[in-house]
Amino acid sequence: MSVDVEEHFQVGAFERVIDRADWPAMTSRVEANTRRCLDLFEAHGVAATFFTLGWVAERAPALMREIVDRGHELASHGYAHDRVHTFTPEAFRADLRRAKGLIEDASGTIVRGYRAPSFSIGRENAWALDVLAEEGYAYSSSVAPVQSDHYGWPDAPRFLHRPVAGSELIEIPVSTVEYGGRRMACGGGGYFRLFPYRLSAWAIERLNHVERQPAVFYFHPWEVDPNQPRIPNAPLKSRVRHYTNLDIMEAKIAKVLKRFAWDRMDRIFLQEDLQAAA
């Protein structure tokens, strides 16, 4: 179980209509929304991994400490939600170091994992995995092994693997399911929010009991916040994707937390026996 910690105005869908210079003046809701997620996990006895922007850690250090104190793992989501394909390797390395330093300083814990904003590591910028290995990360969860209009590496391995020869770095792709010759996303986020719950439940059951694999699931704090301010000048498609079913998302997450067993990514994937199997 994982949460990508970012503000409602930092999502990729709005990056062309919100000037980054305006971020500090916008209404912040990430602390309250993240605490809502923490309370939801506590109610169901679940520990999770919080992939956090350095931008958020810089402004809300107490929230970082609270996440750790309440039994969860902190990992990096980069500094300011820049997609990896917008970086050179040198700029990507600098972004990694900046975010990691801020999260570790705020929380007093070691960051071992990384998730690229918008799952923006693909075939064309696979060099980013080499940089992650060189920077000492234990794992990445940055690849979506599907094809979509927003991201995707459709022929990437679907499950845990070592993407860099000679490195211990493991890649843990967000979950997909294959059925009828098609590969479909089933790891949470907009897919979980927009489509019927029973579809996601079926897919997770198939992963667990047919393919004998753990599911990698994620959502965002803003997805449990139906009262967030609307961005009026955003494209219609972006608004539909972002705002649909916000009012029922928390209840859907509660159902999936109750039905399946979940834990932090480091506890599930960094065990020696799983690494050896990779």
Side-chain angles (χ1 to χ4, degrees), residues 4-244:
D4 291 357
V5 181
E6 59 203 46
E7 293 277 11
H8 62 284
F9 51 78
Q10 295 175 314
V11 300
F14 299 150
E15 64 189 2
R16 294 184 180 178
V17 295
I18 299 176
D19 193 318
R20 185 164 298 183
D22 295 332
W23 283 4
M26 299 187 74
T27 302
S28 174
R29 301 177 71 88
V30 70
E31 292 186 67
N33 290 338
T34 302
R35 290 191 172 99
R36 194 168 175 176
C37 299
L38 289 167
D39 291 343
L40 185 61
F41 290 148
E42 185 172 327
H44 291 85
V46 168
T49 294
F50 287 71
F51 291 96
T52 304
L53 291 182
W55 192 95
V56 174
E58 190 173 34
R59 288 158 177 78
L63 178 63
M64 302 299 103
R65 292 189 292 271
E66 183 176 348
I67 290 170
V68 173
D69 289 345
R70 293 178 71 169
H72 305 282
E73 179 192 14
L74 269 179
S76 175
H77 199 35
Y79 176 72
H81 213 263
D82 294 288
R83 301 189 202 198
V84 177
H85 60 71
T86 67
F87 289 122
T88 63
E90 294 76 16
F92 179 55
R93 190 185 306 275
D95 187 81
L96 286 175
R97 291 180 178 180
R98 183 182 187 187
K100 186 173 187 287
L102 288 165
I103 297 167
E104 291 182 342
D105 288 348
S107 65
T109 192
I110 300 298
V111 167
R112 306 175 72 191
Y114 172 80
R115 173 171 286 158
S118 302
F119 299 101
S120 53
I121 294 180
R123 185 188 303 105
E124 293 77 13
N125 62 343
W127 53 258
L129 294 165
D130 295 271
V131 176
L132 286 165
E134 292 164 5
E135 290 296 303
Y137 281 84
Y139 73 91
S140 162
S141 182
S142 301
V143 172
V146 292
Q147 184 62 63
S148 81
D149 62 346
H150 196 48
Y151 53 71
W153 189 345
D155 56 352
R158 294 175 55 224
F159 302 119
L160 180 152
H161 61 282
R162 289 196 177 99
V164 179
S167 168
E168 293 300 305
L169 176 77
I170 56 175
E171 172 61 36
I172 308 164
V174 66
S175 284
T176 57
V177 66
E178 289 186 338
Y179 188 77
R182 295 185 60 192
R183 181 180 293 190
M184 299 168 284
C186 66
Y191 294 97
F192 180 75
R193 179 164 44 84
L194 295 168
F195 293 107
Y197 168 79
R198 63 181 179 273
L199 180 62
S200 292
W202 166 82
I204 295 170
E205 291 277 7
R206 182 176 177 85
L207 282 170
N208 288 171
H209 300 297
V210 177
E211 300 196 78
R212 309 297 296 176
Q213 293 285 342
V216 179
F217 190 95
Y218 79 100
F219 66 101
H220 308 86
W222 57 261
E223 290 186 280
V224 299
D225 180 14
N227 297 318
Q228 64 190 264
R230 268 37 180 182
I231 308 299
N233 57 336
L236 176 61
K237 185 176 182 180
S238 296
R239 283 185 278 131
V240 169
R241 284 181 172 180
H242 188 89
Y243 297 121
T244 298

